[in-house]
Amino acid sequence: MAFKDILVHLDNRRDCPTRLALAVRLARRHAARLTAIYVVPHPYFGPRRDPESFAAEIRALFADELAAAGVEGECLCLDWPVAGVSATEIVNLHAYYRDLVIVGQPESGAEDRAVPADLAEKVVLGAGRPVLIVPYAGTFETVGERVMVAWRGGPESS
């Protein structure tokens, strides 16, 4: 299956550059367009630093990775409080228009509450698209060489 449009969720976690590098490699392999989505957290959940500075760092990291790989794409920075819906709903809405969604696995015990702990689970159940969950630990030079398919005849499988 060829992917023509890939969505990757970026955040403030330390595993974000690994996830982005994997997304860029997949986009390059499939000659796909890569869209990054960064959801500016609600002030209640957000980090002590200015969220706009995080967004600027994410944009710069994304632009550098795309330029180095020669991949076409765009970075969307969307404001959770302005949108009025949760970060998960924002990601799921943008997932409808993509062929693949890449999100990170939450790190157990992490204190960062800017990203909902159940984001990956809710994207899998709500996006209606294939979802690749990248573990928070490790590096991933290859992906998709060995595939496991599990099926259950319910809404979760669709």
Side-chain angles (χ1 to χ4, degrees), residues 4 13 34 36 63 84 88 102 118 135-137 140:
K4 293 298 173 196
R13 297 178 183 162
L34 182 62
T88 305
I102 301 172
D118 61 351
Y136 65 85
F140 311 96

Side-chain angles (χ1 to χ4, degrees), residues 99-117:
D99 298 321
L100 175 68
V101 182
I102 301 172
V103 296
Q105 174 195 24
E107 185 174 351
S108 59
E111 294 182 19
D112 181 14
R113 299 182 325 171
V115 178

Side-chain angles (χ1 to χ4, degrees), residues 53-139:
S53 67
F54 276 127
E57 287 177 17
I58 291 292
R59 281 189 194 103
L61 175 66
F62 184 72
D64 291 346
E65 289 283 331
L66 285 186
V71 173
E72 180 185 332
E74 69 176 324
C75 185
L76 305 174
C77 292
L78 304 170
D79 202 338
W80 178 353
V82 172
V85 295
S86 73
T88 305
E89 291 172 295
I90 293 170
V91 173
N92 280 340
L93 174 69
H94 287 272
Y96 291 136
Y97 306 103
R98 306 308 190 279
D99 298 321
L100 175 68
V101 182
I102 301 172
V103 296
Q105 174 195 24
E107 185 174 351
S108 59
E111 294 182 19
D112 181 14
R113 299 182 325 171
V115 178
D118 61 351
L119 177 81
E121 175 185 347
K122 287 191 173 182
V123 169
V124 167
L125 295 176
R129 297 288 182 258
V131 178
L132 175 63
I133 302 173
V134 181
Y136 65 85
T139 58

